[in-house]
Amino acid sequence: MKVEDLKWYSPCLFLAGAILGVADPITDILTVVEFYRNDHKILFGVGLFFVILPCLAFVILITMEKIGGYFPEKEECGILCCAKTIACGLHPFAAAFARLQGFAFSLKRWCRGDDKNDDKGEELLEHINTLVLFESVLESAPQFIIQLYAINAQAQPVQIIQMISLPVSFLSLNWAFAIIDGLVWFKEGQFTLRRKIFIFVAEFLLLSSRLFAVCYFTVTLKWWVIVVVLFHTFVIVIATNFCLKGKNCNADKVTETIIFLSLHWLKDDTFAPSENSNNSLLAALLSNVLFVIENVVMILGFYFSQHSNSWFSLPVTVCVCSFSVLGSTMKIAGLYAFLRQQD
């Protein structure tokens, strides 16, 4: 999102996002506590890890001025800089706090009727988008998979907090990805409400199929899911670097590639080269084709395993396969049409 894309309803969206950004970590933490009380030590350890991991990522992103743009005054250093970094990043509510800043900025801009571009505002919105993206991939998505896995694996009845945390995590993830797609694929003023709804629905299909496939593959083969994730990451990294070869492939691009490695398993069509729309669509097509193949293979591995005795195994398999194909086709076709309209 750019400053020029802010609408009269933007403060409401920032405020709702901030509320969701607070509710998501809280429900995740409460679910982790339930794992500990029910003596699910492995689930407790993994869940706690994905509560702490985003906090470390937030600190790195906030202190890197090029990515976060959080410290515009270069003379800030020492104890004050460290204190602001810890206060603003070393907790799971950093993205929610950034959205509150976005709420204050957009409300102030709307009240004074200012339509001019603002460099500080651009830095703030870029900061918000980056934190929201990393929060969704490093916290919301893993927590959703962990909780869905626990529901299928645990002997105890499903807890109320698990039923609340699942949709909250998914909504937070879906919302974040729709925002990031609007930022990457659409020019200023082109991300209309109709297109936002279209992208949101496409991301809903893609995310649900991907998360369910990863979860039920984990139920079947446990830690072998890491092999699938690493395979997808390596293919995309190689393809990305091949596209950048001979262009602007420098130390900054390599650093950026390393930083975004943790995002590829769930969201990698945002890193397509943007100078040429055809190249961007080809990279997005490669990403989505890989997702469809991997999702189908993973869910079929679950369906033909000994864990598929449950009544929901066939509906889940059909939904994952159909949602993967439908979501990928919908997104690529929609992006193709939207990019042609923008050109």
Side-chain angles (χ1 to χ4, degrees):
M1 178 183 291
K2 301 292 184 180
V3 172
E4 294 183 358
D5 293 328
L6 295 177
K7 308 296 182 182
W8 62 269
Y9 54 81
S10 295
C12 299
L13 293 180
F14 279 118
L15 183 59
I19 295 173
L20 188 62
V22 172
D24 189 16
I26 289 178
T27 55
D28 292 339
I29 292 171
L30 292 176
T31 304
V32 169
V33 172
E34 287 296 324
F35 290 154
Y36 181 80
R37 289 177 177 175
N38 293 323
D39 202 32
H40 297 304
K41 297 301 175 56
I42 295 179
L43 291 175
F44 167 76
V46 177
L48 184 62
F49 172 77
F50 284 109
V51 170
I52 298 174
L53 180 63
C55 303
L56 303 178
F58 291 156
V59 171
I60 295 174
L61 294 172
I62 289 175
T63 52
M64 293 182 66
E65 185 181 43
K66 182 177 179 181
I67 296 178
Y70 196 80
F71 298 129
E73 296 88 2
K74 294 182 181 296
E75 63 270 14
E76 285 194 28
C77 60
I79 298 177
L80 179 60
C81 182
C82 294
K84 291 181 71 173
T85 302
I86 294 174
C88 298
L90 198 57
H91 54 80
F93 306 106
F97 177 72
R99 279 171 161 169
L100 278 178
Q101 289 180 297
F103 166 73
F105 170 77
S106 59
L107 182 63
K108 184 178 179 180
R109 189 170 183 269
W110 176 74
C111 289
R112 68 173 184 242
D114 186 7
D115 294 332
K116 297 180 180 179
N117 204 344
D118 189 338
D119 292 338
K120 295 292 182 64
E122 293 288 353
E123 291 179 357
L124 175 61
L125 293 181
E126 182 181 357
H127 174 69
I128 294 172
N129 292 330
T130 304
L131 291 189
V132 168
L133 175 61
F134 274 84
E135 178 198 39
S136 62
V137 177
L138 297 181
E139 181 183 1
S140 299
Q143 292 292 351
F144 179 90
I145 294 173
I146 292 168
Q147 292 155 24
L148 185 61
Y149 174 87
I151 290 175
N152 288 272
Q154 67 187 13
Q156 295 86 358
V158 179
Q159 303 292 326
I160 296 179
I161 189 61
Q162 290 176 293
M163 298 175 63
I164 297 175
S165 183
L166 270 177
V168 170
S169 295
F170 187 82
L171 178 59
S172 177
L173 185 64
N174 201 168
W175 192 338
F177 278 16
I179 293 174
I180 298 301
D181 279 340
L183 175 68
V184 171
W185 292 102
F186 297 93
K187 298 178 181 179
E188 295 180 3
Q190 297 294 322
F191 197 38
T192 61
L193 181 60
R194 179 174 60 88
R195 293 177 177 180
K196 290 178 182 178
I197 296 174
F198 181 89
I199 293 296
F200 187 89
V201 173
E203 287 293 352
F204 173 87
L205 297 174
L206 289 171
L207 285 173
S208 58
S209 61
R210 182 66 172 179
L211 293 176
F212 274 83
V214 170
C215 174
Y216 286 106
F217 185 81
T218 306
V219 170
T220 305
L221 295 175
K222 307 298 181 184
W223 299 105
W224 280 98
V225 69
I226 298 177
V227 176
V228 178
V229 172
L230 291 178
F231 167 77
H232 184 92
T233 300
F234 289 149
V235 171
I236 294 300
V237 169
I238 292 172
T240 302
N241 285 298
F242 178 79
C243 291
L244 293 174
K245 187 176 181 180
K247 297 181 181 179
N248 296 320
C249 188
N250 48 33
D252 291 339
K253 290 294 183 181
V254 174
T255 303
E256 181 180 333
T257 300
I258 294 173
I259 292 174
F260 285 95
L261 277 176
S262 60
L263 309 181
H264 286 300
W265 71 279
L266 190 62
K267 184 70 171 174
D268 54 27
D269 56 6
T270 58
F271 309 108
S274 57
E275 293 82 3
N276 187 296
S277 60
N278 292 328
N279 290 340
S280 299
L281 285 173
L282 286 176
L285 179 61
L286 170 63
S287 167
N288 283 274
V289 167
L290 278 177
F291 276 143
V292 170
I293 295 174
E294 292 164 4
N295 292 349
V296 171
V297 170
M298 285 190 290
I299 200 63
L300 288 180
F302 163 75
Y303 182 74
F304 291 109
S305 69
Q306 59 182 357
H307 299 277
S308 62
N309 297 325
S310 303
W311 63 269
F312 56 81
S313 58
L314 180 59
V316 166
T317 302
V318 173
C319 285
V320 168
C321 294
S322 58
F323 282 11
S324 296
V325 175
L326 180 60
S328 297
T329 305
M330 183 178 176
K331 184 171 183 179
I332 296 300
L335 290 177
Y336 177 81
F338 295 151
L339 291 177
R340 288 296 173 268
Q341 292 175 7
Q342 291 181 163
D343 294 339

